[in-house]
Amino acid sequence: MTSRKRFVTAAAASVSVLLATPALGQTTAAPSPIPSPSPSVKPVSKVSESARALALQMRTFDPALTDRDIETIAAGIDGNLKVGKAINRKGRALKNWDEPVTRFEVKR
């Protein structure tokens, strides 16, 4: 048990040290502004505003994403939500202890 505690303590300490120290050679600069969507770009398909807002957050990871890319990502998010609703029609959430039924049978 003490080895687990030591491991968790060492892992937490190393993460906090990595987060506390800036990367070598990295300068702090003002973040680049997020490009505004141009009105000439037509959406790929009708997507929800929440999916579009979530897709716009992807620009924090890749500022070079075009408006067309954002619309494609938003359409993918909406598509995944539609598939999820089709699979889980009753909208039941799985609990942490839910698991598939496993049956083992030996035939002679």
Side-chain angles (χ1 to χ4, degrees):
M1 187 70 166
T2 59
S3 62
R4 288 184 187 172
K5 288 181 182 178
R6 281 191 282 159
F7 172 75
V8 170
T9 305
S14 64
V15 168
S16 64
V17 168
L18 289 175
L19 293 176
T21 57
L24 295 174
Q26 184 180 25
T27 60
T28 57
S32 61
I34 297 175
S36 62
S38 62
S40 64
V41 175
K42 304 224 178 196
V44 174
S45 64
K46 187 173 181 177
V47 295
S48 66
E49 288 300 317
S50 58
R52 187 173 286 118
L54 184 60
L56 278 172
Q57 292 298 314
M58 297 307 235
R59 281 203 174 132
T60 58
F61 301 107
D62 187 6
L65 287 174
T66 64
D67 293 335
R68 188 94 168 140
D69 294 337
I70 296 297
E71 291 297 321
T72 304
I73 292 170
I77 292 170
D78 270 347
N80 287 338
L81 288 174
K82 287 176 186 173
V83 167
K85 287 178 185 175
I87 292 173
N88 188 7
R89 291 186 181 139
K90 294 183 180 180
R92 293 183 183 154
L94 292 176
K95 305 292 184 202
N96 195 26
W97 55 84
D98 287 341
E99 61 183 38
V101 175
T102 54
R103 294 182 182 178
F104 180 74
E105 183 178 328
V106 176
K107 293 184 180 182
R108 292 182 182 203

